[in-house]
Amino acid sequence: MGIGYTSGKKQSYVADQISFGLSKGELGAIVGINGIGKSTLLRTLGNVQPKLSGSVMINNNPIESLRPDVLATHISVVLTEPIASKNLTVSQLVSLGRHPYTNWIGTLSGEDQIKILKAIEMLELESLQHHKCFELSDGQLQKVMIARALAQDTEIILLDEPTTHLDLYHKVHILKLLQRIAHDTEKVVLYTTHEIDLAIQLCDKIFVMNKSQNNFGAPCELIESKSFEELFPKDTITFDPESGSFKINK
């Protein structure tokens, strides 16, 4: 698959020869240097922007063959854009995840309410559900956005940089929650990240975007194939396969 942007009749490729797949119950990450196209790839997978070549398949169906309302029952997307109104309560924002299933006036059914409460409980937001979103910390708001995606009850959850602006503890907390969601609910969870060390420790599969060659596989397979060693200039940063982490060259 090729990704990028179209201006008039001109196509500008950001990345090409992209090929990978995830199975139910797997947590996956897209990693690479700044500007390599991680967010563009995620947005393309979520049909937020069109691909330039190739295909994106869900259960052997091309993504473009699904109507937007049907696609919204298969894929939920959490992007980095700010939410429209932080004046909503936590419960109200999570409830928006049920929009693909409600009637034309947006009435929530008993099943919708159950899905919303389960999402709030899984993200440990019970004590905050009546708080306004503007009262929340960055980490709490990120959990609410993930809860909204979980309430949408899709097979696939895509997240763009879900740990941005969080300290190390809250980065790990969010990622372990995503891991638990994938493993416990049998969903595919895929996110973009700069925290490659954490992805190596927590993810089932990783897609490494590199200008010379893209690689995909389990972290141990990628370490063995030296896929992480070509990401950064070796005179500045080197990858230590024994510890699975990057070292700064002093």
Side-chain angles (χ1 to χ4, degrees), residues 150-218:
L150 187 60
Q152 197 171 328
D153 196 24
T154 56
E155 306 161 69
I156 302 167
I157 301 177
L158 305 177
L159 308 101
D160 191 18
E161 296 285 355
T163 58
T164 299
H165 307 309
L166 303 182
D167 60 37
L168 181 59
Y169 169 79
H170 287 94
K171 288 179 192 291
V172 173
H173 184 63
I174 290 292
L175 294 180
K176 291 188 78 171
L177 279 171
L178 294 178
Q179 184 189 57
R180 184 157 61 91
I181 289 169
H183 293 175
D184 292 356
T185 66
E186 285 292 296
K187 297 181 185 298
V188 170
V189 180
L190 177 66
Y191 71 101
T192 61
T193 184
H194 290 97
E195 278 90 30
I196 303 174
D197 293 19
L198 296 181
I200 289 172
Q201 295 179 66
L202 294 169
C203 288
D204 301 296
K205 301 285 177 60
I206 298 176
F207 183 67
V208 182
M209 296 187 73
N210 199 326
K211 290 181 180 179
S212 58
Q213 183 180 359
N214 300 319
N215 293 289
F216 175 74

Side-chain angles (χ1 to χ4, degrees), residues 20 23 50 63-64 76 80 82 105 110-111 115 122 130 138 140 155-156 160 181-182 225 228 239:
F20 70 97
S23 301
I63 195 171
E64 63 270 14
S76 51
T80 53
I105 56 174
E111 182 182 355
K115 298 283 187 183
M122 191 161 194
H130 302 301
D138 288 341
Q140 290 170 333
E155 306 161 69
I156 302 167
D160 191 18
I181 289 169
S225 64
F228 299 112
F239 181 76

Side-chain angles (χ1 to χ4, degrees), residues 36 87 96-97 99 101 129 145 163-165 191 198 203 246:
I36 198 69
N87 203 41
L96 294 179
H99 179 70
Y101 309 96
Q129 59 184 308
M145 300 302 291
T163 58
T164 299
H165 307 309
Y191 71 101
L198 296 181
C203 288
F246 291 90

Side-chain angles (χ1 to χ4, degrees), residues 1 17-30 41 45 55-60 155-156 158 187-190 203-208 214-219 221-222:
M1 180 180 70
Q17 298 181 343
I18 295 171
S19 178
F20 70 97
L22 290 168
S23 301
K24 290 181 179 180
E26 289 187 330
L27 174 64
I30 300 170
L41 174 55
L45 293 174
S55 59
V56 180
M57 309 291 287
I58 300 177
N59 299 327
N60 296 319
E155 306 161 69
I156 302 167
L158 305 177
K187 297 181 185 298
V188 170
V189 180
L190 177 66
C203 288
D204 301 296
K205 301 285 177 60
I206 298 176
F207 183 67
V208 182
N214 300 319
N215 293 289
F216 175 74
E221 296 170 343
L222 295 171

Side-chain angles (χ1 to χ4, degrees), residues 110-162:
E111 182 182 355
D112 292 325
Q113 296 285 4
I114 290 172
K115 298 283 187 183
I116 292 164
L117 288 174
K118 282 186 176 179
I120 288 173
E121 289 172 2
M122 191 161 194
L123 272 297
E124 304 166 353
L125 294 167
E126 296 97 324
S127 64
L128 297 173
Q129 59 184 308
H130 302 301
H131 288 226
K132 298 285 188 179
C133 289
F134 67 76
E135 300 175 312
L136 306 181
S137 67
D138 288 341
Q140 290 170 333
L141 185 58
Q142 190 61 273
K143 288 173 70 174
V144 176
M145 300 302 291
I146 295 170
R148 184 184 71 173
L150 187 60
Q152 197 171 328
D153 196 24
T154 56
E155 306 161 69
I156 302 167
I157 301 177
L158 305 177
L159 308 101
D160 191 18
E161 296 285 355

Side-chain angles (χ1 to χ4, degrees), residues 77 91 139 237:
V77 184
S91 182
I237 300 172

